Amino acid sequence: MENGTAGVVVIGAGQAGLSAAYNLKRRGVAYMILDAEQGPGGAWRHRWKSLIMETVNGISDLPGIAKPDVDPAEPSSEFLSRYFDAYERELGIEVLRPVKVTSVAREDTDPAGRLRISSDRGDWSAKAVINATGTWTRPFWPIYPGRSTFLGRQLHVADYVSAEEFRGKHVIVVGGGISAVGLLDEISQATTTSWFTRREPEWRDATFDARAGHDAVALVEERVRRGLPPQSVVAVTGLIWTPALRAAEKRGALQRQPMFSSIEPDGVRLTDGSLLRADVILWATGFRAELEHLAPLRLRGPGGGIAMDGTQVAAEPRVHLVGYGPSSSTIGANRAGRAAVSAILKLPAFQQ
């Protein structure tokens, strides 16, 4: 078991966590970064092999070192794991892993006191915590009538490996985000598919430029400022047409249907009462923020979310969330890491 103290404990070593660590190191703040993964790369370590760098949206360079040349055909899981590994080594960012943080709690009632970070490797005491645990470990499975009766296979995108495993089967894809349409395109080239979403997808022909990204982040930021559960940036921006998706549309793969009314052993019951038989249901229904270890701090408000002031939890300024709400996408991750460190250094505990 390990125990120690630090000025700041960073939980998670994905893009947002490494950005925070870089800024802490640059500002001369003593920190410890704890990561639950077996090696560098964050959630990218687990992405399916067909998600290549050419189709990855908006991966920003980590601060301080430019991203190396990218082979657009290389799997993102391989490139980004290697890139993060080289980044940690070149900048001397020490990450303790694997460490599963189980709770974060106040050590006493002093609002300027220390926080206790407990884990399966021991405890740490810190003046502040930057939480960068992301969402990958908390896939969201909607509750639908009859879901437990389905005799075929159900999986979440977090479990997806390859379209080849579905060849010869009819696959239902549920979800209206980038992962849903990307996997729908891929699977539809190997077998028959049907696509269901709760709302009619909104498509964009315009290029997703820096201005559009800034505007999308601002809208998500406004929700978390009011203490509402964050929407994804994609929910704000809509879906952008790519050549691959245009081709999928021509194949008929993007014929969206409204959500089915129930799930039955052999398929799903459509809104018109008919049964669509299926062998597989792939839930591309997103993820929720991994924040269970923060429960002892009682951060959630009556709106169901955590009221935020930038990256700072409004009710607990010693805790910053990066990779949450507006910084849950790569668009805002680097900015969030820098902003969190700047705000932490203004805390009374760092003025002594």
Side-chain angles (χ1 to χ4, degrees), residues 35-255:
D35 187 45
E37 296 292 342
Q38 295 291 327
W44 290 105
R45 292 167 53 84
H46 307 290
R47 302 286 184 169
W48 47 95
K49 294 294 185 183
S50 58
L51 184 62
I52 58 176
M53 289 303 296
E54 184 179 33
T55 56
V56 166
N57 290 313
I59 298 302
S60 300
D61 294 352
L62 289 165
I65 298 178
K67 184 169 62 181
D69 292 338
V70 178
D71 176 358
E74 183 175 8
S76 58
S77 59
E78 296 177 9
F79 172 82
L80 290 165
S81 294
R82 187 173 68 251
Y83 172 42
F84 284 20
D85 180 37
Y87 184 84
E88 291 175 17
R89 287 187 285 103
E90 191 164 341
L91 289 182
I93 295 175
E94 296 184 11
V95 180
L96 187 61
R97 57 168 63 96
V99 179
K100 173 63 175 175
V101 172
T102 54
S103 70
V104 177
R106 300 174 182 91
E107 292 192 354
D108 52 43
T109 58
D110 182 358
R114 300 182 73 88
L115 300 170
R116 174 68 51 177
I117 300 91
S118 300
S119 79
D120 59 359
R121 294 274 294 271
D123 293 356
W124 282 265
S125 177
K127 298 177 182 178
V129 166
I130 297 178
N131 190 83
T133 46
T135 62
W136 184 259
T137 55
R138 289 202 66 201
F140 175 63
W141 294 76
I143 297 173
Y144 268 88
R147 201 184 82 182
S148 62
T149 70
F150 186 60
L151 298 177
R153 181 184 176 192
Q154 295 187 68
L155 72 160
H156 193 275
V157 294
D159 307 307
Y160 180 80
V161 176
S162 167
E164 283 302 311
E165 58 186 310
F166 306 129
R167 193 173 289 278
K169 302 179 184 297
H170 187 74
V171 179
I172 287 174
V173 177
V174 180
I178 292 174
S179 293
V181 295
L183 293 180
L184 189 63
D185 168 32
E186 185 172 318
I187 296 168
S188 68
Q189 297 181 58
T191 193
T192 59
T193 58
S194 297
W195 182 29
F196 292 85
T197 68
R198 287 192 299 118
R199 292 185 295 270
E200 186 73 39
E202 294 186 16
W203 291 92
R204 293 166 53 106
D205 286 310
T207 301
F208 189 72
D209 57 16
R211 182 65 200 176
H214 175 273
D215 292 346
V217 167
L219 288 171
V220 179
E221 202 164 44
E222 176 57 27
R223 282 184 61 86
V224 299
R225 186 178 294 114
R226 292 186 286 135
L228 298 174
Q231 289 179 310
S232 68
V233 172
V234 173
V236 176
T237 62
L239 296 167
I240 298 173
W241 285 112
T242 65
L245 292 178
R246 287 293 188 191
E249 182 190 30
K250 289 182 179 179
R251 292 198 309 274
L254 299 185
Q255 294 181 357

Side-chain angles (χ1 to χ4, degrees), residues 144-146 260-264 267-270:
Y144 268 88
F260 40 80
S261 58
S262 64
I263 302 173
E264 301 192 8
V268 297
R269 185 67 59 181
L270 303 183

